[in-house]
Amino acid sequence: MDFTFTDDELAFREAISRFLMTEAAPEALREIWETDSGRSPDLRNKMAEQGLTALSIPESAGGLEMGDVVWSLMTQELGYYGIPDSLSDTAYVAAGLISNLPDTVAEKATWLEQICDGSLRVAVGHPVNPLVADAHMADLILLANGDEVHAVPRAKIEVEHNPSIDSSRRLMRVMWETDSSTLVAAGDEGRKLWQQTLDRGALSAAGQLLGLAQRMLDLSVDYAAQRKQFGKPIGSFQAVKHHLADVAGKIEFAKPVLYRAAYSLQQGDSDASMHVSQARLACGEAALLAGRHGIQVHGAMGYTWEVDLQMFMKRSWALESSWGDRIFHKSRVSDFVLAEGAALGPGQTFGRS
């Protein structure tokens, strides 16, 4: 079996990376953070022009109809460049939920078309997240009331800003009243949609954490090559090399776990939720280690506003509690592993016996 990415997938990732390298330099990000909204409509429109908002949209609505595996690559790029925009919440998490709504929802096709062209910003208020990212700018907010899924227009909610250690995040506490006119799914159907949404959100967070880990490692390597002590670059000292090598190892071990989870989710595997939690844990551990060792390499100056490391380190800390914290995901993995007759061992990889 061939588990490598296609040339088209890798080429698309490379094109997005080159685009974000130009449009989302750290200096530009700092300027965006200091605006009232903390968001750049211009950057969002440019990302839509690059096709990012169309990735998950069905071809019938003008999209590219790509799956979770491609998003496991794209979210790494969003994390690597610290994009101050909940793009994946709209274009991946919300788009997936809306695509799976019953066809009886009259606005479904319109919403998908508007996400595709970048004109609709959607925020997702899953019960696992007490705060909703970017609700202050969203045109539509998907909210839960038990197993019910409600699509609520911005005019029907009130928001209260909640500060974050990460200046790029805009977290809101949402107040709203349930209304039958906003109900789009309920019962078993609603429960299934929220479960799928949780898995997509956790997979998105995992991909961003892995991208953040790689960026923090790259910054630490560059700094270690330039900073000198006793007349030598600190990167030549064995202790520093070991720190950076430990991070590189964590990242490389986390990648296949992320891709396995994306493949499992895309194929509708019955164990997809467990695989997603594995990926969330592995990528989170890589990001935490990258931040900790990055600070040790940079010294105390790594916390300061002028140094780029702090931007990505704080974002990784904030994402750690998004779409389920470590206790939540460890519980999902342990429930699977400790279950009677659990399908464990290399013979179960990708369903092979």
Side-chain angles (χ1 to χ4, degrees):
M1 298 176 73
D2 184 2
F3 300 132
T4 56
F5 292 101
T6 66
D7 290 340
D8 287 344
E9 289 169 343
L10 294 175
F12 189 52
R13 178 184 187 176
E14 179 62 26
I16 295 301
S17 180
R18 289 197 301 268
F19 162 73
L20 294 176
M21 186 186 304
T22 303
E23 299 293 337
E27 297 76 19
L29 297 184
R30 286 184 175 88
E31 292 180 4
I32 294 172
W33 290 1
E34 293 177 337
T35 62
D36 291 338
S37 66
R39 297 292 177 260
S40 169
D42 182 56
L43 177 60
R44 179 66 169 239
N45 291 336
K46 288 180 178 178
M47 287 192 289
E49 290 172 2
Q50 293 294 316
L52 280 175
T53 53
L55 277 183
S56 292
I57 305 301
E59 291 182 359
S60 59
L64 301 175
E65 204 165 343
M66 293 186 180
D68 306 283
V69 173
V70 171
W71 270 106
S72 70
L73 294 175
M74 293 303 108
T75 51
Q76 287 181 66
E77 298 304 319
L78 296 177
Y80 188 88
Y81 292 101
I83 300 304
D85 193 298
S86 57
L87 174 78
S88 63
D89 282 0
T90 293
Y92 175 47
V93 182
L97 192 159
I98 292 172
S99 294
N100 289 314
L101 287 174
D103 291 335
T104 53
V105 178
E107 301 90 344
K108 174 180 174 179
T110 301
W111 289 337
L112 290 173
E113 290 170 1
Q114 290 176 338
I115 290 174
C116 183
D117 64 25
S119 62
L120 183 71
R121 186 186 289 262
V122 187
V124 183
H126 192 281
V128 79
N129 294 323
L131 302 173
V132 182
D134 281 14
H136 65 307
M137 293 189 68
D139 305 297
L140 184 72
I141 303 92
L142 300 174
L143 296 169
N145 178 37
D147 293 331
E148 296 177 348
V149 182
H150 287 260
V152 186
R154 176 66 180 83
K156 290 190 175 184
I157 68 166
E158 294 182 6
V159 298
E160 179 182 300
H161 180 257
N162 193 86
S164 171
I165 190 174
D166 173 17
S167 299
S168 72
R169 284 168 68 77
R170 294 296 186 270
L171 301 176
M172 305 288 158
R173 190 174 304 281
V174 175
M175 286 76 74
W176 64 294
E177 296 290 337
T178 56
D179 184 341
S180 60
S181 67
T182 63
L183 180 65
V184 291
D188 290 340
E189 186 175 47
R191 190 179 307 112
K192 182 179 179 181
L193 284 171
W194 282 127
Q195 180 60 54
Q196 293 172 344
T197 300
L198 171 59
D199 288 338
R200 288 193 192 92
L203 188 70
S204 171
Q208 292 178 67
L209 284 165
L210 192 58
L212 287 162
Q214 186 64 60
R215 184 61 177 271
M216 288 186 282
L217 175 61
D218 290 349
L219 289 170
S220 299
V221 170
D222 289 344
Y223 182 80
Q226 298 171 18
R227 180 77 167 93
K228 291 185 177 181
Q229 287 284 2
F230 310 112
K232 295 181 179 180
I234 63 173
S236 65
F237 301 141
Q238 193 173 44
V240 175
K241 290 180 181 179
H242 285 176
H243 276 328
L244 300 178
D246 287 345
V247 177
K250 281 284 188 183
I251 291 172
E252 291 307 312
F253 275 103
K255 284 180 181 178
V257 184
L258 175 67
Y259 301 148
R260 173 65 177 98
Y263 178 88
S264 180
L265 197 56
Q266 185 167 300
Q267 297 299 315
D269 193 323
S270 59
D271 298 327
S273 294
M274 186 275 297
H275 293 142
V276 167
S277 286
Q278 281 184 313
R280 182 70 168 71
L281 290 168
C283 296
E285 288 173 3
L288 286 173
L289 189 67
R292 183 163 66 247
H293 285 349
I295 280 293
Q296 290 175 322
V297 170
H298 280 74
M301 67 178 294
Y303 284 103
T304 62
W305 176 258
E306 292 77 13
V307 177
D308 292 344
L309 178 72
Q310 57 88 21
M311 301 170 62
F312 306 99
M313 179 180 63
K314 291 173 182 175
R315 187 161 180 78
S316 69
W317 291 347
L319 276 178
E320 260 297 294
S321 59
S322 177
W323 294 103
D325 57 17
R326 281 198 283 176
I327 294 175
F328 174 85
H329 290 291
K330 282 183 178 180
S331 295
R332 293 215 299 184
V333 173
S334 67
D335 288 344
F336 174 84
V337 172
L338 299 177
E340 185 176 351
L344 304 175
Q348 302 297 330
T349 302
F350 287 94
R352 292 177 293 177
S353 60

